[in-house]
Amino acid sequence: EECYDSVAEIANHWIDVLDTQGESLETDELVDLISENRNMSRQLDDYGDQKGTSQTTARRLGEFLGADIIKDKGLNCKFIIAEQPYGAPVTERA
């Protein structure tokens, strides 16, 4: 019974977080919970026209910060998948 009570307490915490849309969390903590983190093992050019959330994020970073930022392998991409536009592929919503 003690185990079930502990699990219920944790579940209630996360239900509260969802119900309040994360109001009780610090911004950094909320971003950590809703974002994805991926490492690219190769250089972006090695992926060619391949589509993926990491490649899309890296290309956008390059457009924004400059191509020198994304030229090396091992790039770490942190992104959030947006809900909108509805029906758009995940790679376009990253």
Side-chain angles (χ1 to χ4, degrees):
E1 187 175 321
E2 182 180 333
C3 178
Y4 287 112
D5 291 342
S6 294
V7 170
E9 184 178 335
I10 293 168
N12 284 334
H13 167 74
W14 290 111
I15 288 171
D16 291 343
V17 168
L18 291 172
D19 286 343
T20 63
Q21 297 180 349
E23 288 177 347
S24 63
L25 302 175
E26 295 292 324
T27 301
D28 291 344
E29 186 179 6
L30 180 60
V31 169
D32 284 342
L33 288 172
I34 65 172
S35 64
E36 292 190 34
N37 195 19
R38 304 262 176 91
N39 289 315
M40 295 178 60
S41 59
R42 302 179 285 173
Q43 292 180 333
L44 181 59
D45 291 341
D46 294 344
Y47 290 94
D49 291 335
Q50 181 179 347
K51 291 186 177 185
T53 52
S54 299
Q55 292 83 5
T56 299
T57 303
R59 287 185 189 101
R60 289 182 181 162
L61 284 172
E63 291 170 4
F64 184 71
L65 300 173
D68 290 343
I69 298 295
I70 60 168
K71 67 180 179 179
D72 296 328
K73 66 180 180 178
L75 183 65
N76 184 356
C77 297
K78 189 170 193 170
F79 53 90
I80 297 173
I81 305 295
E83 180 181 16
Q84 296 176 356
Y86 297 114
V90 172
T91 55
E92 291 178 19
R93 295 182 285 126

